[in-house]
Amino acid sequence: MISFLLSIVALLVGYMVYGRVAERVFGPDDRETPAIRKADKVDYIVLPSWRVFMIQFLNIAGTGPIFGAIMGMWFGPTAYLWIVLGCIFGGAVHDYISGMLSLRHDGCGLPELTGRYLGSTARSILVVFTMMMMVLVGAFFVYSPAIILSGIWGEKMMWVVIIFLYYVATTMMPVDKIIGKVYPLFALSMLFMVVALGIVLCIKHPALPEVWHGLGNWGAERLGLKQHLFPGLFVTIACGAVSGFHATQSPMMARCMKSERQGRPIFYGAMITEGVVALVWATISSYFFFADGWKDVCSPAELAAFDAQLGSDGARSLIQYFDAPTVVNIICHSWLGIAGSILALLGVVAAPITTGGSSFRSARLILSEAMNLKQTSARSRLMLSLPVFAVGIALLAWQIQNPSGFGTVWQYVAWGTQVMAALTLWVCTVYLTREHKCYWLTLLPAVFMTMVVAAFFFASPTILGLDYTLSIVLAAVITLSALTRYIFARRSA
């Protein structure tokens, strides 16, 4: 528990100290923002700063800092260090600089920023890559919530249709109509859940593994985890530490901000808040899996069911049987009662639905920028969204027919978000270099994340599955090549 409490304090100090460092490096001023200069009552609308913060927080969070943190803690207490250091020096800086860059460039998306600073070829590749990621996320977050809701009431296909129609509405309607009104309420419910669980943790004060007890791969020793600590941990915990998905969501709020000086609390602050969420759920995961908490919170029937399957041929291990969504439901119901069950439902169902809706809207915005099409009329938004919806429906139909197959695809999506994070950090580094500002702010995390995604690409069984040592060597070569190219480009500029 000491590691958890120290980590919370570290994140708060990081916001107050390093957040100001990032702010001074970028240098926000009083220039007119896109929400005022390009107001169109659809995408460019000034919203109250507290609403912008709540929407930004929910858009970048979803279930990422919950499920990812639970699975990330399977590696052991090293997860605390990654969440804290990754969030302060990587994720929050990534979100702040990229968000402010979007704000400076008329609220443009990640592909357009990439084109400005890394060239037209990189822009074209990223348009395709980002569109694919947004539609995959949107489609994935239709069927899973529908399954959960059908267990409460109604049929799965009924919920699939309802959720998809909701996506259509959030993609098409002005940002202040649904997103501006509903998302802050869901964000508040998530924050309330996290605060309540944090209080219960402090009251229970269980004896948990601390950082100084060892930074090895605890999961391999105790839980049968087969992944290597590096790069596995750094891809598993993306939201809550560093995630390139955030760079696709920030432009949406960059178009709703009244002042550049709101950037630190909105972009840097939302990421720090997400880090707190990840810390709470990582600590709960540590209690559940390493302190035998599962024996205390599971019902007798759940314990009996787990024990009964151990002797079978297809027996599942502790982390296979109690997956992340199951842990969320059990903990919330056990610790928070009926209210906890409702909050868990909001977290497991509402959060992915809102994230999926934002993903489809982001896809529309990215496509409109790529094709230079205005979005002021409902007809233009519909015509641009139709192909996005068509691909989403096709992916959804494939997922319904092949649910396990889509799970494999989702592993590529998790890696893809970190690829976008590395690329975004390089974009920010080039910008800071051109402006003669402290480029080390983003260069160091850019180098680290390049190493992470390259190592995962070579070592992961879901991609190439090469020998681990060879994978690390190849990843180091790629990372050094990227750094060398940057150094030569900087000297010749």
Side-chain angles (χ1 to χ4, degrees), residues 314 343 380 418 465:
L343 290 171
S380 63
Q418 300 304 66

Side-chain angles (χ1 to χ4, degrees), residues 228-236 451-453 455-457 459 468 472:
H228 290 280
L229 179 67
F230 182 89
L233 170 63
F234 306 95
V235 174
T236 303
M451 183 70 184
V452 167
V453 298
F456 191 85
F457 177 80
Y468 180 69
I472 296 300

Side-chain angles (χ1 to χ4, degrees), residues 52 55-56 59 175 249-257 267:
V52 177
I55 298 169
Q56 174 72 6
N59 279 349
V175 69
Q249 301 303 297
S250 295
M252 196 184 306
M253 290 299 98
R255 303 178 184 209
C256 299
M257 293 166 59
F267 296 128

Side-chain angles (χ1 to χ4, degrees), residues 11-12 15 53 57 60-61 65 87 191 194 240 265-279:
L11 283 184
L12 297 178
Y15 171 75
F53 171 84
F57 166 67
I60 68 173
C87 191
L191 290 174
V194 171
I266 289 173
F267 296 128
Y268 200 100
M271 183 63 218
I272 292 294
T273 305
E274 187 183 47
V276 173
V277 176
L279 280 175

Side-chain angles (χ1 to χ4, degrees), residues 19 43 100 106-107 110 196 255 379 413 457 460:
D43 297 310
M100 293 302 290
D106 293 332
L110 179 58
R255 303 178 184 209
R379 184 178 181 277
V413 174
F457 177 80
S460 174

Side-chain angles (χ1 to χ4, degrees), residues 54 60 173 223 252 335 348 424:
M54 288 295 184
I60 68 173
M173 294 186 69
L223 302 174
M252 196 184 306
W335 285 6
V348 177
T424 301

Side-chain angles (χ1 to χ4, degrees), residues 94-168:
H94 165 285
D95 288 14
Y96 177 73
I97 301 296
S98 64
M100 293 302 290
L101 268 178
S102 177
L103 192 60
R104 282 276 171 94
H105 294 297
D106 293 332
C108 71
L110 179 58
E112 296 303 310
L113 289 177
T114 302
R116 285 175 180 268
Y117 295 102
L118 298 185
S120 58
T121 301
R123 171 190 174 275
S124 300
I125 293 173
L126 202 61
V127 166
V128 176
F129 185 77
T130 308
M131 286 291 297
M132 177 184 69
M133 292 286 292
M134 293 302 97
V135 178
L136 276 172
V137 170
F140 181 82
F141 284 150
V142 174
Y143 194 56
S144 299
I147 293 174
I148 297 173
L149 289 170
S150 65
I152 301 172
W153 178 78
E155 299 293 329
K156 279 187 290 188
M157 290 310 299
M158 178 193 77
W159 285 112
V160 165
V161 172
I162 291 174
I163 293 171
F164 204 89
L165 288 176
Y166 167 81
Y167 284 1
V168 173

